Structures are given as C-alpha cells and as structure tokens.
Amino acid sequence: MLTYYSEKQALHAPLRELNNGEWMDFAESTDRIGSILAAIGDVKTPDDYGEAPLLAVHDPDYLSFLNSAHQNWLTQGRTGDAIGYTYPVRRRRKLDIQRIDGQLGLYGFDAATPIASGTFEASYWGAQTALSALDAIASDGEDMAFALCRPPGHHAGRDYCGGYCYFNNAAIVANRARQSGLGPVAVLDVDYHHGNGTQDIFYQDGEVFFASIHADPVMDYPYFWGHADEKGENEGEGATLNLPLPRGTTWSSYEVALGRALEAISTFGARFLVISYGADTFDGDPISHFALQTEDMQRIGAAVAALNLPTLAVMEGGYKIEALGDNVSAFLAGLESG
Ligand code: OKP
Ligand code: ZN
C-alpha cells in the first residue's frame, strides 16, 4: 500500500495525560509509529501543501492558538507540556482571554490532549501526510493510499483540540477531495471512539457523509457526541450516521454495523471514501473495550474495498503497541484484497 509518513510527526511527544483522575504515561506515544513502520515497510515523505488546506477546515484563531500555545505556556512561567484545567460550559461567550489557561479551555475540550513543544509542527506534518496521500489518488491515478497520521485527528473540530487530536486529517482531505470535484465524499470512522470532530465539521453539510461505528458514548469517551439519534442538521440532515456498539463487541455484531454503514455510504452515492482507521477496537487495547482480532482488521479492510471506491485511509488510534503493526498491516492487506 502506498503510505506516507514524515519523521517530523515524531516531534509531538507529550509525557503524560490525565486519565480517570490519575496521571498516566501518554498513551498516544511515538512508539506507536515504530510498531507500524516495522510491520509495513517503505513509506514516502509527504510534500508541503501549506496552511491553506488546513484553514479550509479549521479557524485561523485556532491555528494561531496551537502555534503559540506552548511558547505562551513557557512565557507564563510554566514547564513541561501545556494542559488545560478550566473549560467554558454552555452559553459562555468566546472571550479573547490571553491567559494560557483560558485559551487551553477555549480551544480544547479535555485534559488528555497536552500541547508540547513539537505539537504544532508534528500535527502540521501529519496533515501534510494526509494531503499527500490524497494527491496520490487525485493526481497520480492511485486508487488507494494510506496516510500514517500521528497525532490522530478525528476528535479535533474547527476550533478545538481533544482526544489526542489537533488537526482533523480526515476532514481536511474529505473537504479537499470535495472541493477538487471528487465527491460526493463519505468518511467512514472505525476507530473505537466516536469521531466527534469530523461529525461536527460536516454536521450541517449535505455533501460529505459521515458514518461512525464506535463504543456507545453512554459508557465511553467522548460521551457528548456519537449517540444514535445524531443524524445531521439543516443541509446535512441525514448525512450523519452513528452506530454505537456495547463494550465487549466481537466480529459477529461488528460486521452487522459495518454492513449498515457501507450500505448507507452506497445509498448516499459516494464516489470517494476517506476511512478513519483506529486499531483500538482490538481485543486488549489498554484504553478501549471491544474484542476484535487481527483477522477482523483484514475483514474490515476487505469489506470497505468491496465498495470499489477510491479510498484514502487515515490513521487514528490504537494503543496496544505490540499488536499495532500487525493490526494495521492486516487492515491494509484487506483493503488491497478488494
Ligand atoms: C483518541 B482516539 C478514558 C480517557 C480517554 C482520551 C481518549 C482519546 C482517544 N478514561 N482519553 O480516538 O483513539
Ligand atoms: Zn480511539
């Protein structure tokens, strides 16, 4: 599989995160990439498409915030990674607060998404990785490509980071594919966690279909999005499909949800597919609770490939590092078998 990755993506290396009220080692570690690279072999270095495609999805003030947050943190006398602790709830105004703690609350929604010194640059290159994979399909006639994005992107919205995500790589390429006339575009999100950022970005947009299979947010992060009754709004009504599943889900019920998502994508008339692939549905993932096996990753890939659409796969989560490379390569093998 044609795969893109930039070494600069490893510049993002926060030390720890707040998990269930305790500090733990940052789960979205740079070691994830080592496991994947060891299993998949050659990767291509992305080209630089600049900030414009990022700004087509994210707000300029959010980019400025991300670009300056860690420096701002240091200037205000802090050390280590920038982490917020106070968040504006419903009906608070979008005040222009200069204090870093206020900004971290305004532009984020959880305390699991630290901003370290290399976060902006690494996330920027993660997005360029996705854009390069898109260009391989759009301009070079490839019918599939894999963007080894890290950090992941699907929890990031137009003006917020969260869930280890800063730029929404899947949304950036889905939007650009649509703008290049490759649409209608569908995004299929199979990460264990609901892709709230992607959903938010396209919620009122009838040209990009968003389907997600994920842990029921009644039990799991991100709690406030991904419920079955969220179906899109205005022009986007009916163009969002949420298929929450219970903890413990194995292939037999996962397969049914996947079939429904793929059928909805066909019915929508998609001509281009972006898949947000997370390997955290794997049995034994340290922060997730489904029970898919490595061979099921191949089955997901094969089922997606049967749609016969130009397909760009973007890496999202997956935290069982010893198994991560095998899971990603099984998924890619499935995609290629279609
Ligand atoms: C990112 B991706 C649960 C804490 C959850 C954030 C999870 C982010 C997942 N106790 N922490 O979707 O894989
Ligand atoms: Zn996840």
Side-chain angles (χ1 to χ4, degrees):
M1 176 73 67
L2 176 60
T3 298
Y4 288 87
Y5 173 70
S6 164
E7 299 285 343
K8 296 200 184 95
Q9 292 169 233
L11 293 171
H12 172 64
L15 283 179
R16 55 184 193 168
E17 63 177 283
L18 196 56
N19 180 55
N20 301 345
E22 292 177 349
W23 288 112
M24 70 169 198
D25 290 347
F26 190 57
E28 203 282 282
S29 82
T30 51
D31 298 347
R32 297 177 61 236
I33 294 296
S35 171
I36 298 171
L37 290 178
I40 68 174
D42 275 1
V43 293
K44 291 185 77 168
T45 303
D47 292 326
D48 188 354
Y49 295 82
E51 284 187 359
L54 282 60
L55 287 165
V57 157
H58 294 286
D59 291 347
D61 58 321
Y62 173 65
L63 251 75
S64 313
F65 157 75
L66 263 191
N67 201 0
S68 62
H70 192 257
Q71 189 51 53
N72 199 350
W73 177 259
L74 297 179
T75 302
Q76 293 181 34
R78 308 288 172 68
T79 56
D81 306 331
I83 302 185
Y85 68 90
T86 184
Y87 298 89
V89 294
R90 293 166 294 288
R91 295 179 295 283
R92 292 301 82 201
R93 291 167 291 161
K94 191 165 178 176
L95 291 165
D96 182 22
I97 304 288
Q98 292 306 307
R99 185 73 173 162
I100 184 64
D101 310 283
Q103 293 189 348
L104 288 163
L106 186 61
Y107 292 112
F109 72 93
D110 67 32
T113 313
I115 301 178
S117 61
T119 298
F120 183 86
E121 196 176 357
S123 309
Y124 176 89
W125 283 100
Q128 301 304 328
T129 282
L131 288 161
S132 297
L134 173 61
D135 212 16
I137 300 173
S139 311
D140 304 342
E142 294 286 335
D143 49 28
M144 284 179 188
F146 177 50
L148 182 38
C149 293
R150 178 193 172 270
H154 72 152
H155 297 298
R158 276 187 194 284
D159 62 354
Y160 62 81
C161 57
Y164 313 150
C165 301
Y166 306 87
F167 291 131
N168 194 313
N169 308 305
I172 290 167
V173 291
N175 183 60
R176 192 169 166 94
R178 172 255 301 271
Q179 287 178 340
S180 320
L182 299 172
V185 176
V187 180
L188 172 63
D189 190 320
V190 297
D191 186 277
Y192 178 82
H193 306 92
H194 178 253
N196 61 284
T198 316
Q199 169 168 304
D200 270 356
I201 288 165
F202 298 118
Y203 208 58
Q204 312 213 1
D205 188 331
E207 287 179 30
V208 177
F209 190 83
F210 176 69
S212 181
I213 305 166
H214 50 270
D216 192 335
V218 164
M219 283 295 288
D220 277 285
Y221 182 94
Y223 305 107
F224 306 107
W225 297 263
H227 302 269
D229 63 349
E230 296 165 21
K231 296 181 174 171
E233 257 169 29
N234 301 332
E235 304 286 292
E237 200 174 334
T240 291
L241 174 65
N242 281 302
L243 300 166
L245 295 172
R247 286 185 173 194
T249 288
T250 57
W251 179 252
S252 60
S253 47
Y254 195 92
E255 174 179 40
V256 177
L258 183 59
R260 283 184 60 192
L262 295 174
E263 193 182 304
I265 288 167
S266 299
T267 305
F268 174 73
R271 294 191 50 221
F272 189 92
L273 182 69
V274 176
I275 172 160
S276 271
Y277 175 70
D280 46 6
T281 51
F282 182 64
D283 197 3
D285 187 276
I287 66 165
S288 314
H289 309 275
F290 282 176
L292 297 192
Q293 306 300 310
T294 299
E295 64 261 29
D296 301 330
M297 304 301 172
Q298 167 147 17
R299 291 177 170 137
I300 294 173
V304 168
L307 283 178
N308 242 313
L309 292 173
T311 299
L312 198 178
V314 170
M315 192 69 207
E316 303 286 357
Y319 307 98
K320 178 88 176 167
I321 291 176
E322 314 87 273
L324 184 56
D326 286 347
N327 284 332
V328 171
S329 74
F331 167 69
L332 296 177
L335 266 187
E336 279 176 322
S337 73

